[in-house]
């Protein structure tokens, strides 16, 4: 979920000069993460937007708990979300981590530091795989 949201926002910033969620992202061990992620995830779970399930390999997966209201988004935003979904779908956590570690915004920051959206110009959804 972190890589998807990060990718949606940085791709949107790169293409449209604005993020979709307005979230801030920080340098995490496994790549960019939502700043204050625990508070956001807890809120989404408590409000029945998100749930987590454990798969057959004991992996924790986040899953939407309700249908998305697409009327909240512009066509451009939906196009970016679709593009990110298609690119990241089915990728392993390791592959996503390795890919995100090649992002200049992650490389130029230290653990816990906010990754400025100015790095969006270096964001590459289709490279470094």
């Amino acid at each position: 979920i972190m890589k998807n949201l990060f990718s949606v926002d940085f791709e949107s910033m790169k293409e449209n000069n604005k993020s979709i969620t307005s979230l801030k992202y920080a340098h995490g061990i496994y790549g960019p993460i939502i700043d204050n992620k625990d508070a956001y995830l807890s809120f989404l779970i408590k409000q029945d937007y998100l749930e987590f399930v454990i798969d057959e390999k004991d992996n924790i997966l986040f899953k939407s708990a309700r249908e998305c209201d697409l009327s909240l988004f512009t066509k451009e935003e939906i196009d970016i979300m679709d593009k990110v979904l298609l690119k990241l779908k089915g990728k392993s956590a390791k592959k996503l981590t390795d890919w995100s570690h090649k992002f200049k915004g992650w490389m130029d920051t230290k653990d816990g530091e906010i990754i400025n959206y100015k790095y969006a110009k270096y964001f590459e959804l289709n490279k470094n795989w």
Side-chain angles (χ1 to χ4, degrees):
I1 193 169
M2 299 292 161
K3 303 291 188 303
N4 281 278
L5 289 169
F6 156 74
S7 298
V8 161
D9 278 334
F10 273 77
E11 183 70 11
S12 181
M13 184 62 78
K14 183 176 182 176
E15 287 188 17
N16 301 322
N17 206 31
K18 64 178 182 168
S19 74
I20 294 174
T21 70
S22 299
L23 292 169
K24 291 182 181 179
Y25 297 89
H27 178 115
I29 295 168
Y30 300 107
I33 59 172
I34 299 169
D35 190 40
N36 296 313
K37 70 176 173 49
D38 293 338
Y40 282 109
L41 292 176
S42 178
F43 172 80
L44 292 172
I45 290 167
K46 286 179 183 175
Q47 297 297 315
D48 293 322
Y49 287 107
L50 191 65
E51 61 188 10
F52 65 90
V53 295
I54 299 176
D55 71 6
E56 64 280 349
K57 296 178 184 176
D58 287 335
N59 295 313
I60 296 174
L61 306 173
F62 289 95
K63 181 179 159 188
S64 178
R66 58 169 92 166
E67 286 294 316
C68 177
D69 181 357
L70 293 177
S71 71
L72 300 172
F73 302 100
T74 66
K75 181 182 180 334
E76 292 81 16
E77 291 170 336
I78 292 169
D79 289 346
I80 287 172
M81 290 186 281
D82 286 343
K83 181 164 59 169
V84 167
L85 177 65
L86 286 171
K87 191 64 182 181
L88 302 188
K89 187 176 183 174
K91 302 275 194 297
S92 70
K94 170 110 175 73
K95 191 161 188 104
L96 290 169
T97 295
D98 292 346
W99 166 73
S100 70
H101 284 185
K102 294 172 186 154
F103 173 54
K104 183 170 175 48
W106 186 86
M107 292 188 302
D108 286 357
T109 54
K110 294 181 176 84
D111 195 32
E113 286 183 345
I114 299 297
I115 301 171
N116 192 300
Y117 274 108
K118 72 180 181 182
Y119 284 103
K121 65 185 173 186
Y122 303 107
F123 181 74
E124 294 289 348
L125 186 61
N126 294 310
K127 289 186 181 177
N128 299 318
W129 292 105

